[in-house]
Amino acid sequence: MSSLEFYNGKPLAEQVADYILNYIIDNNLEVGAKIPNEFELGKMINVSRTTIREAIKILVSRQILEIRRGAGSPGSPRGRESPTIRWDLPL
C-alpha cells in the first residue's frame, strides 16, 4: 500500500490508521517500539503530515500508540518525535 484513496466512504485518516496498525503487526513491533515519525510515514504512504497526525490521534485514542514528547532523537525538529506502541496487539 503506497498511496491511499477514499473507499467505501471511509475517511482517509481512518485508512491511514489502519495502514499504521498493519505496519505494526506486519513488522512484529513490540510494546515500547517506535514507529516512523510523521514525516517518514507521510513519505511512505504518500499523504500529508496533517493526515498522519489525525491517524496517530485515532490510534492514541484507541490506546494503541502513545506520544512521548521529547522521546525523539536529540536535536530532532518539533513534530518528528516517533510515536511508540503502547498496547500488546494479539496476532
Side-chain angles (χ1 to χ4, degrees):
M1 194 184 301
S2 59
S3 66
L4 304 171
E5 297 178 12
F6 284 97
Y7 66 93
N8 295 331
K10 193 170 189 177
L12 186 58
E14 287 281 343
Q15 294 178 58
V16 172
D18 292 345
Y19 178 94
I20 295 169
L21 183 57
N22 287 327
Y23 174 88
I24 292 167
I25 293 168
D26 292 346
N27 289 285
N28 296 316
L29 299 180
E30 296 181 8
V31 174
K34 291 183 179 183
I35 64 169
N37 64 39
E38 293 172 357
F39 179 77
E40 293 165 337
L41 285 169
K43 286 177 68 175
M44 284 171 51
I45 308 170
N46 196 27
V47 296
S48 71
R49 283 183 55 206
T50 301
T51 303
I52 295 294
R53 282 188 209 113
E54 289 176 39
I56 289 172
K57 285 180 187 177
I58 290 167
L59 294 172
V60 167
S61 72
R62 294 180 187 163
Q63 299 184 348
I64 293 169
L65 294 179
E66 67 180 6
I67 304 296
R68 294 183 188 165
R69 297 288 174 215
S73 56
S76 63
R78 186 174 181 190
R80 293 217 178 171
E81 293 95 353
S82 296
T84 56
I85 300 167
R86 175 179 181 173
W87 182 55
D88 196 10
L89 299 168
L91 300 178

